[in-house]
Structures are given as C-alpha cells and as structure tokens.
Amino acid sequence: MNRKIGGWDEGFDPFYGAPVVLVVLAEKDWPTHVYDGSLVMGNLMLAAHTEGIGSCWIHRAKEEFESEEGKQILSDLGVTGEYEGIGHCILGYPDEEIEEAKPRKDDYVFWVE
Ligand SMILES: Cc1cc2nc3c(=O)[nH]c(=O)nc-3n(C[C@H](O)[C@H](O)[C@H](O)COP(=O)(O)O)c2cc1C
C-alpha cells in the first residue's frame, strides 16, 4: 500500500527491509492530534537511538489508513474509532555505527540577542 501511494515500482520497498514497523495513529477529533502524534514519532526515534537501534520516519500513513483496505486492517486488529495515520517508525540495527551526529545545517537556527 505504501509503495503504491508513493507511486513507486514494485521493486522498491519504502520500509527498506526493516524488521519492525511501528505505526502511530492519532484521534482525528482532537485538535492537536497531528502535533501529538508527531511528538510520539520523535520520541520513538530518540528512544530507539538510546537503545542502539536505527530508525526512520516513513510517511504516507494518513493515506493508508484513510483507505478502505487500511480501515479494514485496523478493524481486524481491533482498532476502532476515527484515527489518522501519523507515521511509521521503522526499526532495525544499522549496517554501520554512526559515532557522531552530522554537522548542523546552516541557516536552520537563528539566534536573536
Ligand atoms: C514527516 C516526515 C516524513 C518522512 N518520510 C520519509 C519517508 O517516507 N521515507 C524516508 O526514507 N524518509 C522519510 N523521512 C526521513 C527524512 O527523509 C530524513 O531522513 C529526516 O527527516 C532527516 O533529514 P535530515 O538529516 O536532512 O535533517 C521523513 C521525515 C519526516 C520528518
């Protein structure tokens, strides 16, 4: 589903072969649901890093769980109610250890004194 929504060919795996995919959903009728779910996604990735596990946010959860197929998957799992897909957090052990954070990008943070 994710690959089709992204418009990629069959050979491409948008989850990069990750052994675990966590899906974050948020209740649609809560005004801050997208922000709340995004914070969950960020915290999942930070927690994974702390445990030495690699992670990546994979998009298109909204489209997946808006579709009939996606709603059926949720229903089969016993998840009922109006939920929006916020993101997938893929987890796995990285091929290579990254010792240091990448240098910060220029012009992303502005200091005002
Ligand atoms: C909302 C959101 C959606 C993303 N979706 C994908 C995705 O579908 N596939 C992917 O490989 N990376 C995805 N990423 C990860 C980004 O491509 C990128 O690796 C990450 O934001 C770090 O980028 P930076 O190192 O340039 O800051 C997503 C990130 C965010 C914040």
Side-chain angles (χ1 to χ4, degrees):
M1 282 171 74
N2 197 288
R3 180 175 44 71
K4 276 191 203 156
I5 295 163
W8 291 292
D9 296 332
E10 264 188 41
F12 178 66
D13 172 10
F15 297 101
Y16 307 113
V20 174
V21 180
L22 307 177
V23 177
V24 174
L25 306 167
E27 277 182 275
K28 274 187 194 167
D29 62 359
W30 195 254
T32 57
H33 70 281
V34 175
Y35 311 105
D36 297 342
S38 299
L39 184 59
V40 171
M41 288 291 297
N43 281 330
L44 285 174
M45 292 188 285
L46 290 173
H49 180 75
T50 304
E51 298 292 332
I53 295 170
S55 68
C56 186
W57 182 319
I58 304 298
H59 204 43
R60 296 165 294 283
K62 181 173 190 290
E63 295 85 343
E64 281 172 5
F65 296 106
E66 271 172 353
S67 72
E68 287 311 311
E69 189 181 355
K71 284 181 187 161
Q72 187 62 52
I73 291 170
L74 293 183
S75 159
D76 291 347
L77 290 168
V79 180
T80 54
E82 287 301 304
Y83 286 100
E84 180 169 321
I86 304 299
H88 317 74
C89 180
I90 56 169
L91 300 174
Y93 289 102
D95 287 343
E96 51 184 273
E97 285 294 316
I98 299 167
E99 298 290 338
E100 281 184 33
K102 284 188 192 172
R104 299 303 94 190
K105 292 175 182 166
D106 291 333
D107 301 330
Y108 270 59
V109 177
F110 295 87
W111 293 98
V112 179
E113 290 182 30

